[in-house]
Amino acid sequence: MVSSKRVIRVIPLILFIAIGIILIIDGIVFYNKPQYGKGENPENISLETYFAGDNQPTHPSVYDFGKQWNGWRYWMAYSPYPNMNGEEENPCIAVSNDLKTWETPEGLHNPIAFNEETSCDELKDPHIVYNNETDSLEMWYLGRVNGTIPSGADLLLMRKISPDGVNWSDYEILDIVNGTLSPSIIFEDGVYKCWTIKPSKPGNAGQLLYYESPNAKNWSEKTACTFDNQPNLSHIWHGAVTSDSIYRFVYVESSGDSNRVMYTESSDGLTWSKPNAIVEKGTIRHHFYRPCIFAGNDSLYCIYGTVDQNNRWGIAMTSDAINGKFEGLSNPTNKFGNFKSYYIGALKRALHSIAMLKLTVIAIFISIALGFVGVFKRLWILWLLTWLVLIVFSKALSLDTFMMCVVLLVTGLISLATALMSLGLQDSIKRCCERQ
């Protein structure tokens, strides 16, 4: 008959094996899914917002100048949305020269627009526009006038203009938009081209609507775009249109549980191909939010909003090479490097979330303290007790299954290392005492 001590002794080993099995299964499932580039990027872009934004940006809109404009090649419009706090959903600017490091341009104080200067309850859905005739940058966004009106109604289309991306004009109201959201604007051939989304609802399909203006004030009638010859999309929420040699449109399908980013393209901005998923969610996030897409350096870059299990918002990026001259997406591939990036990114997220230094210090003190108690001078029990303490401190139970396994693996390794160190320290002290 197996003794209870022996069963308890192998508990840490059983946990390690179970965690390993779950991680392997999850990895195989992810690896076998059709992916666009790296698939879901487990790492968010590092972007520091203004203080009240709590470093939780979302709703990205990126313009690639192809060369530096006022010191920067890539200009991003975004809005913080800390734990879904709409009062801080104000348009902001970030810049980069490599798409990896983003910062606020020198001299600019975000946000560039805020509720207090208007009668709006919130300012949202920013989109960045470059006017090549005036060599100026424009920030377009929506202002919700009455928070008691259902989302998507009673909205003002607003704009600010800047000659350098740092100094911005006063706001102006360009249009009243009812029942639409997430406008995309392109200044092209002397005309402002605008696509806006009529979101789908349970039982009702949505649409992508197009209209234009020569001066951003006198607008044409809205025209419903078609997708694979159909005017409606059964599921559509936020999205963005961009153009290079063709028009590209990416969007998410719902407000709170979008598991993929959908992509379609068009030669005229009105007739679109059948949408396909280009980024699919793995298991480390709760859902995706508004994406944007652009071509450059012989690659497509999809930058999209992310929401984790704890309702913290962020922005991630996925890229993929393009065959030929931007003729469309390359074939989805699964490469071992992409597989590794998923795990490495997830591990880095875990290491940040569980505050490695704090947990290591706690583990050291717990292991050493317990190591002086005779009954705990065994690796298996010292490891297990220290591990349980770290699990409590890391709040692993608030995460999804995959990320919880990663956290358990990391804390298990920390507790094992500190338990071995503690026992080694005890042996050293014992030998010193015996020599004396």
Side-chain angles (χ1 to χ4, degrees):
M1 186 174 182
V2 180
S3 66
S4 58
K5 285 186 178 181
R6 183 174 298 178
V7 172
I8 297 175
R9 189 178 303 166
V10 298
I11 286 177
L13 184 59
I14 293 173
L15 286 175
F16 249 58
I17 293 173
I19 291 167
I21 291 173
I22 292 174
L23 292 176
I24 290 171
I25 292 174
D26 181 90
I28 292 173
V29 171
F30 175 84
Y31 187 72
N32 287 330
K33 282 184 178 180
Q35 298 295 326
Y36 163 64
K38 295 180 181 177
E40 176 188 7
N41 191 335
E43 292 186 76
N44 284 336
I45 290 172
S46 178
L47 179 55
E48 184 177 355
T49 69
Y50 62 90
F51 182 76
D54 194 26
N55 298 332
Q56 295 188 52
T58 193
H59 209 283
S61 171
V62 177
Y63 188 88
D64 176 11
F65 280 90
K67 60 182 180 179
Q68 289 191 6
W69 182 82
N70 286 290
W72 302 95
R73 173 173 174 174
Y74 304 101
W75 289 73
M76 178 196 292
Y78 70 91
S79 56
Y81 200 33
N83 303 110
M84 298 182 68
N85 181 2
E87 291 184 5
E88 302 302 334
E89 194 178 7
N90 297 313
C92 297
I93 289 287
V95 290
S96 176
N97 280 322
D98 60 8
L99 292 175
K100 297 178 182 179
T101 303
W102 292 87
E103 59 186 87
T104 302
E106 184 176 358
L108 176 68
H109 299 283
N110 281 320
I112 68 165
F114 44 90
N115 296 337
E116 287 75 11
E117 65 179 342
T118 70
S119 59
C120 297
D121 297 304
E122 64 179 9
L123 305 177
K124 61 181 186 176
D125 296 9
H127 191 88
I128 200 163
V129 182
Y130 176 65
N131 186 318
N132 61 342
E133 292 186 356
T134 60
D135 189 29
S136 60
L137 208 57
E138 302 182 6
M139 175 77 82
W140 293 55
Y141 53 97
L142 299 180
R144 189 167 70 181
V145 177
N146 188 341
T148 62
I149 303 270
S151 178
D154 204 13
L155 294 174
L156 305 178
L157 181 61
M158 310 174 80
R159 177 179 69 171
K160 285 193 172 189
I161 301 174
S162 172
D164 54 13
V166 174
N167 301 288
W168 291 85
S169 67
D170 293 333
Y171 74 90
E172 55 181 324
I173 298 174
L174 304 176
D175 196 11
I176 298 176
V177 291
N178 296 313
T180 63
L181 43 74
S182 197
S184 300
I185 303 92
I186 298 173
F187 185 77
E188 196 172 57
D189 301 324
V191 175
Y192 286 101
K193 300 180 178 181
C194 181
W195 292 262
T196 188
I197 294 173
K198 180 182 178 183
S200 58
K201 299 178 181 179
N204 293 306
Q207 294 180 322
L208 179 66
L209 305 174
Y210 173 80
Y211 61 127
E212 61 184 43
S213 170
N215 55 13
K217 294 181 180 179
N218 303 111
W219 294 94
S220 65
E221 293 293 323
K222 293 183 176 68
T223 301
C225 298
T226 61
F227 297 86
D228 197 25
N229 297 320
Q230 300 297 318
N232 299 326
L233 289 170
S234 58
H235 297 92
I236 183 173
W237 186 248
H238 279 253
V241 174
T242 53
S243 71
D244 39 81
S245 60
I246 60 174
Y247 293 97
R248 306 179 189 276
F249 177 46
V250 284
Y251 65 93
V252 290
E253 298 173 297
S254 62
S255 62
D257 59 357
S258 289
N259 296 327
R260 53 188 185 169
V261 175
M262 306 298 293
Y263 170 85
T264 175
E265 54 191 39
S266 169
S267 60
D268 60 7
L270 293 172
T271 305
W272 298 83
S273 61
K274 182 180 179 180
N276 293 300
I278 58 171
V279 183
E280 295 195 37
K281 188 178 76 68
T283 57
I284 64 175
R285 292 192 174 97
H286 187 270
H287 65 279
F288 292 148
Y289 203 62
R290 196 257 204 179
C292 68
I293 194 166
F294 59 96
N297 301 328
D298 294 328
S299 294
L300 278 177
Y301 299 92
C302 185
I303 299 181
Y304 46 95
T306 66
V307 188
D308 69 15
Q309 306 294 331
N310 297 315
N311 197 29
R312 291 190 62 85
W313 295 62
I315 297 173
M317 182 181 75
T318 291
S319 64
D320 194 20
I322 304 176
N323 293 328
K325 298 181 179 180
F326 303 157
E327 295 177 353
L329 290 173
S330 61
N331 293 326
T333 58
N334 282 303
K335 298 179 181 178
F336 185 65
N338 302 340
F339 180 61
K340 289 193 298 184
S341 71
Y342 179 69
Y343 274 105
I344 293 172
L347 184 60
K348 288 172 71 175
R349 284 192 67 223
L351 294 179
H352 286 299
S353 66
I354 63 178
M356 274 286 294
L357 180 60
K358 180 181 72 174
L359 288 182
T360 302
V361 172
I362 292 172
I364 290 172
F365 277 103
I366 292 294
S367 295
I368 292 176
L370 291 176
F372 278 102
V373 181
V375 70
F376 297 142
K377 288 184 179 180
R378 296 179 181 178
L379 177 61
W380 60 271
I381 194 168
L382 190 57
W383 179 18
L384 181 59
L385 290 176
T386 307
W387 197 358
L388 290 174
V389 172
L390 295 194
I391 290 172
V392 172
F393 275 93
S394 65
K395 299 180 181 179
L397 296 179
S398 66
L399 303 172
D400 63 286
T401 303
F402 175 74
M403 285 303 294
M404 180 163 55
C405 284
V406 173
V407 169
L408 288 174
L409 179 65
V410 172
T411 53
L413 290 172
I414 294 173
S415 57
L416 176 59
T418 54
L420 288 169
M421 182 195 69
S422 176
L423 292 176
L425 179 62
Q426 300 302 319
D427 289 340
S428 297
I429 294 174
K430 183 179 180 180
R431 289 172 186 172
C432 288
C433 292
E434 290 176 348
R435 289 174 184 172
Q436 295 177 355

